[in-house]
Amino acid sequence: DIVLTQSPASLAVSLGQRATISCKASQSVDYDGDSYMNWYQQKPGQPPKLLIYAASNLESGIPARFSGSGSGTDFTLNIHPVEEEDAATYYCQQSNEDPYTFGGGTKLEIK
Amino acid sequence: EVMLVESGGGLVKPGGSLKLSCAASGFTFSSYAMSWVRQTPEKRLEWVATISSGGSYTYYPDSVKGRFTISRDNAKNTLYLQMSSLRSEDTAMYYCARQGYGSSYYFDYWGQGTTLTVSS
C-alpha cells in the first residue's frame, strides 16, 4: 500500500499569513503525466470537502487562496492568505494505486 | 444540488452484519462511480469500497474484502454497503462519496455519514 505521510501534524498560522502542508508518498503517485494526488478539508462535524485534485487543480467553488503543487512523491498544499474559516484538518489522498490511501491529517489553527 | 444521505448505521455485536444505504439526488447517479469511505474514531480516513457506474465492477481494500459488498440500484438512485463478520476495528463513521475523474480519481461529494459501532 502507498503510505502518505503528512507534516506537520498541526500548525498555527497568523491571520493573513501562509500555511504550508506537506504530503510525502512512499512511492510515486504519478501515471502517464498526471499526479493522482488530492487534498481535502474537514471541519468538525462535517464530511471532508474536496479542495484540490490531480495535485494542482482547484475544485470548483474553492477560493483561489488554496493551491497545490508537486509530483512524484512530494506534494504541498498552500493556503495564502489564511482566513479564520480555514481552521480545519487537511488530508491528502492518493488514487494512483489500489487501495486508495489518505494521509494522517494536518490540523490548522488560526492565530 | 448534489445530495448524498446515508442511513442504516447502528450498534452491532462482533461477528454481526449490517447494511448501509445512501440515497443520491441532484445528479445523474447512473453516470458516476460511487464509493464508501470510513473515518475511525481516531479520525483516520480509510477507503472501503468502490463500484463502477453500471455496477459491473467493484473494488475493495484487503481489510474488508470478502466481508463487505458494495452494490447499487440505479433505478432507485441508491448505493448500498452490506457488511458482515464485523469486527471492532470496523467501528467508524461511514461516508458515501461520489467519485469523479479529471486527471485523478477523487471524491468530489460526500454525505454526512452514518455511524457504525461494533461492540459486545
Side-chain angles (χ1 to χ4, degrees):
Chain A
D1 297 3
I2 296 178
V3 176
L4 301 181
T5 302
Q6 287 185 234
S7 61
S10 64
L11 76 163
V13 176
S14 298
L15 202 62
Q17 298 304 301
R18 177 182 298 274
T20 299
I21 298 170
S22 170
C23 178
K24 292 187 185 297
S26 59
Q27 62 192 76
S28 176
V29 298
D30 289 359
Y31 178 77
D32 201 22
D34 295 320
S35 294
Y36 284 64
M37 179 60 73
N38 312 308
W39 289 94
Y40 300 84
Q41 175 195 66
Q42 187 178 32
K43 297 181 179 180
Q46 296 183 18
K49 179 180 181 180
L50 178 67
L51 299 175
I52 302 284
Y53 64 91
S56 60
N57 294 275
L58 195 66
E59 172 67 346
S60 176
I62 301 302
R65 64 179 183 275
F66 291 90
S67 63
S69 63
S71 65
T73 60
D74 292 335
F75 297 87
T76 302
L77 174 69
N78 276 286
I79 312 169
H80 182 259
V82 162
E83 297 190 5
E84 284 202 24
E85 65 185 29
D86 299 334
T89 300
Y90 294 83
Y91 295 90
C92 56
Q93 176 245 331
Q94 69 81 22
S95 57
N96 183 57
E97 200 173 276
D98 185 350
Y100 297 166
T101 50
F102 290 83
T106 295
K107 188 171 185 177
L108 174 62
E109 175 196 334
I110 310 304
K111 291 191 290 187
Chain B
E1 179 193 5
V2 173
M3 286 192 66
L4 300 168
V5 180
E6 302 93 338
S7 60
L11 173 63
V12 178
K13 289 182 167 52
S17 300
L18 198 68
K19 188 172 186 176
L20 307 182
S21 299
C22 170
S25 60
F27 66 102
T28 305
F29 182 69
S30 59
S31 295
Y32 288 86
M34 297 294 296
S35 296
W36 289 95
V37 178
R38 66 187 180 188
Q39 187 163 37
T40 69
E42 299 78 24
K43 300 303 182 186
R44 188 174 65 249
L45 287 166
E46 299 176 345
W47 165 69
V48 171
T50 295
I51 188 167
S52 61
S53 58
S56 297
Y57 303 98
T58 57
Y59 309 88
Y60 308 92
D62 287 345
S63 58
V64 307
K65 197 174 292 182
R67 299 189 301 122
F68 290 13
T69 302
I70 188 172
S71 62
R72 64 191 298 161
D73 185 334
N74 284 347
K76 294 184 177 179
N77 290 349
T78 304
L79 178 72
Y80 303 100
L81 185 68
Q82 176 69 53
M83 303 179 291
S84 61
S85 302
L86 285 164
R87 308 166 180 167
S88 59
E89 55 262 39
D90 296 318
T91 294
M93 174 76 81
Y94 283 74
Y95 294 105
C96 163
R98 191 179 84 169
Q99 183 163 302
Y101 177 75
S103 302
S104 175
Y105 297 103
Y106 46 80
F107 305 117
D108 58 356
Y109 287 93
W110 300 60
Q112 290 298 313
T114 187
T115 301
L116 168 67
T117 302
V118 182
S119 174
S120 54

